[in-house]
Amino acid sequence: MALWGGRFASETRDEVAKYTESISFDRRLFKHDIDGSRAHVAMLAAQGIIPKASADAIRDELLKIRERIEKGDFEYTISLEDIHMHIESALIGKLGNEGARVHSGRSRNDQVALDLRLYLREECDFIVSGIRDFQKALVDKAAAEPDAIMPGFTHLQHAQVILFAHHLLAYVEMLQRDAERLADCRKRIDIMPLGSGALAGSTLPLDREFVRRELGFSRLTRNSLDGVADRDFAIEFLAALAIFAMHVSRLSEDMILWCSQEFSFVELDDAFCTGSSLMPQKKNPDVCELSRGKTARIYGDLTALLTLCKGLPLAYNRDLQEDKVAIFDAVDTAKAILSVYPAMIGTMTIRRDRMAAAAADPALMATDLAEKLVELGVPFRDAHRRVGSFVKFCREKGKALDEVTLDEMRQTIPEATPEFLTLFDPVASVRKRRLVGGTGFEPVANEIEFWQKELKNV
Ligand code: ARG
């Protein structure tokens, strides 16, 4: 008979037990469930709701149950629905009536909300530290290649020259905001819901503050319906993971392009690539491709969770049991991404020669010509038009921009001086980009130094 079987005349049908169980996936909450129960029971005794001896016995037995679960010496059955029922039932199995006191003043509704918050708080910290390692790997690579020049792209067309380090540091910035978003979301995870009961709190004199302190939460939920019904903290967490994954997916797309024969800007270590079962020459950047794919999966998890919650009347509804499927999948996927990226970035080889050859395209410096004209007092639109005509002229003559004489240049850019012919040097072009946030050698070196300091102590 299930622990809630008192008012039932017949047993649950097998198919229904299978349909309604969550033990197959919520067993991973066992540690959090046990931590929560231990705090709850200590509070019950302190408040005189249960005898101190019962509380001590329950707290000890909970530790033994945890050990058994960790050792794999614990039996699961779908007839006990979920991890909460399993642990309570194991307790009663060992302690009889003493164990049956554990659930006083508590419902699985506030219990599962508590477990989820404990779980997400822990995973949040783990993922943030993984993101730090990822940032460090990118900064280290930038520091190892501080002056590799490559073409920057817009519309995937050659645009202007940039430093490869600057490109990597763009992702460090994105990851920084991802870490900050998660840290901010953690504040709303870190709220203690126990004491909400099934939905209406309890008539027992519980001490919620005691449990909050014991479990290290920073606040209490302030409304029992809200405490059991909402999952916005998890939605927010998955949204932050979705944005993080989106950033990784973009980096991955860059890397896939860079690994292609056409670019060949980088080479990934063999340990991070796979081959083709048919084409012997292939070395594929599958990890990067799978990150694009796994990003889709995290979006799916976020969408599932949002959809799950949108039509639910207050307070708890069993639909909410499905939240864990999406939450666990998103957490696992994000952690899987973090388990490979730092080392993949760290071991990637940079082909400076290939980057430099691509950056030597003089068309990348066309904007520098227009800006030089602005310095000479030409309004930018006119400057743009003149340089545009110059590009057209070169194309018609079948010449590269740096292959013309000054006289030829003057046919479209009358203000051109001999200095204009020197503007096609990519290194000089990068050197001139001195603004804060710019891709010049100096600002990029400053940023590398900033991030090295910033990430040293995290
Ligand atoms: N397994 C359930 C869940 O994950 C626990 C709460 C069940 N509550 C209930 N009243 N049936 O949401």
Side-chain angles (χ1 to χ4, degrees):
M1 185 67 89
L3 293 176
W4 39 253
R7 61 99 68 215
F8 284 75
S10 63
E11 292 284 323
T12 316
R13 281 175 74 129
D14 283 353
E15 298 81 354
V16 175
K18 259 190 216 147
Y19 195 74
T20 54
E21 65 88 21
S22 56
I23 186 60
S24 54
F25 51 90
D26 68 13
R27 61 176 72 176
R28 77 160 77 181
L29 294 176
F30 75 94
K31 265 196 238 138
H32 313 94
D33 200 67
I34 285 171
D35 287 348
S37 290
R38 280 172 49 83
H40 178 64
V41 163
M43 178 276 290
L44 291 175
Q47 292 298 96
I49 299 169
I50 67 171
K52 174 138 189 346
S54 308
D56 290 345
I58 293 173
R59 283 165 55 82
D60 286 352
E61 190 55 36
L62 282 168
L63 290 184
K64 288 186 198 144
I65 293 173
R66 186 166 80 190
E67 250 168 58
R68 273 168 50 208
I69 296 179
E70 276 164 353
K71 271 200 288 189
D73 179 22
F74 190 85
E75 210 180 301
Y76 298 103
T77 157
I78 57 166
S79 61
L80 284 172
E81 282 188 31
D82 54 26
I83 188 64
H84 325 293
M85 290 300 203
H86 273 77
I87 292 172
E88 188 178 339
S89 159
L91 210 49
I92 295 171
K94 283 276 182 211
L95 302 178
N97 269 345
E98 292 308 300
R101 297 184 193 279
V102 64
H103 210 49
S104 318
R106 189 177 71 173
S107 155
R108 270 185 300 157
N109 299 352
D110 57 353
Q111 188 178 357
V112 72
L114 174 73
D115 292 2
L116 263 184
R117 287 175 180 277
L118 286 168
Y119 167 79
L120 282 178
R121 198 172 65 174
E122 192 177 291
E123 294 295 11
C124 185
D125 293 344
F126 188 83
I127 290 174
V128 168
S129 91
I131 291 178
R132 296 302 182 204
D133 290 341
F134 194 168
Q135 286 180 296
K136 279 181 202 159
L138 288 163
V139 172
D140 286 350
K141 194 45 85 177
E145 303 288 343
D147 46 17
I149 294 181
M150 65 180 261
F153 296 81
T154 62
H155 314 268
L156 202 54
Q157 307 287 315
H158 275 189
Q160 295 181 287
V161 283
I162 58 170
L163 287 179
F164 173 67
H166 193 56
H167 197 122
L168 293 185
L169 291 181
Y171 286 105
V172 175
E173 297 283 342
M174 296 177 217
L175 292 174
Q176 177 66 19
R177 291 190 295 277
D178 293 332
E180 287 173 12
R181 248 185 298 277
L182 286 165
D184 192 63
C185 161
R186 190 190 192 282
K187 293 184 213 152
R188 288 170 292 281
I189 293 173
D190 192 24
I191 306 177
M192 212 291 293
L194 218 61
S196 301
L199 76 165
S202 175
T203 57
L204 295 169
L206 307 178
D207 182 354
R208 300 189 63 208
E209 190 52 34
F210 180 114
V211 180
R212 179 195 71 74
R213 262 197 322 272
E214 195 77 1
L215 294 172
F217 279 99
S218 57
R219 282 184 285 159
L220 293 178
T221 54
R222 299 169 60 100
N223 179 299
S224 61
L225 300 171
D226 178 46
V228 291
D230 206 3
R231 294 290 183 267
D232 60 353
F233 58 95
I235 294 173
E236 207 182 329
F237 186 76
L238 262 55
L241 292 188
I243 297 173
F244 158 71
M246 177 274 293
H247 287 149
V248 179
S249 187
R250 291 188 76 166
L251 169 62
S252 303
E253 174 59 18
D254 276 340
M255 290 177 51
I256 291 164
L257 285 171
W258 293 345
C259 288
S260 68
Q261 283 71 20
E262 284 69 21
F263 280 76
S264 297
F265 285 0
V266 306
E267 190 175 344
L268 296 180
D269 190 89
D270 282 2
F272 293 90
C273 295
T274 56
S276 158
S277 55
L278 181 96
M279 298 166 282
Q281 86 285 11
K282 291 299 291 289
K283 174 173 162 184
N284 298 326
D286 297 43
V287 168
C288 300
E289 294 165 58
L290 275 167
S291 308
R292 285 187 315 211
K294 286 176 191 292
T295 299
R297 211 164 130 173
I298 296 183
Y299 289 4
D301 294 326
L302 170 62
T303 308
L305 203 53
L306 282 164
T307 312
L308 183 69
C309 294
K310 83 177 184 46
L312 299 183
L314 292 188
Y316 178 85
N317 297 268
R318 191 65 180 271
D319 317 40
L320 289 176
Q321 178 166 292
E322 297 283 326
D323 63 356
K324 284 167 284 297
V325 180
I327 293 169
F328 295 161
D329 187 64
V331 166
D332 290 347
T333 308
K335 284 165 77 174
I337 291 173
L338 288 168
S339 73
V340 288
Y341 269 75
M344 184 168 71
I345 300 290
T347 53
M348 133 183 124
T349 317
I350 309 308
R351 298 279 310 272
R352 301 168 59 99
D353 56 328
R354 292 282 311 184
M355 289 183 189
D361 172 6
L364 285 160
M365 269 59 76
T367 312
D368 296 37
L369 261 59
E371 288 183 350
K372 179 54 73 184
L373 284 171
V374 168
E375 275 177 33
L376 297 177
V378 180
F380 182 71
R381 271 304 144 220
D382 296 336
H384 188 285
R385 198 172 326 106
R386 271 169 231 191
V387 178
S389 307
F390 171 59
V391 171
K392 183 160 166 269
F393 170 88
C394 294
R395 286 188 62 85
E396 283 164 4
K397 288 265 180 264
K399 290 186 173 184
L401 270 57
D402 59 352
E403 284 170 356
V404 294
T405 63
L406 186 56
D407 282 343
E408 284 174 316
M409 191 186 271
R410 282 185 172 149
Q411 292 182 29
T412 48
I413 310 177
E415 298 83 354
T417 63
E419 192 194 349
F420 276 58
L421 298 177
T422 68
L423 295 178
F424 297 107
D425 173 12
V427 177
S429 175
V430 166
R431 194 173 295 122
K432 277 182 289 189
R433 301 177 182 281
R434 293 196 192 86
L435 302 182
V436 173
T439 191
F441 298 104
E442 213 180 287
V444 169
N446 290 341
E447 287 305 307
I448 290 173
E449 204 186 318
F450 168 82
W451 283 113
Q452 282 170 332
K453 273 198 207 124
E454 192 73 11
L455 294 168
K456 199 152 83 199
N457 304 318
V458 293

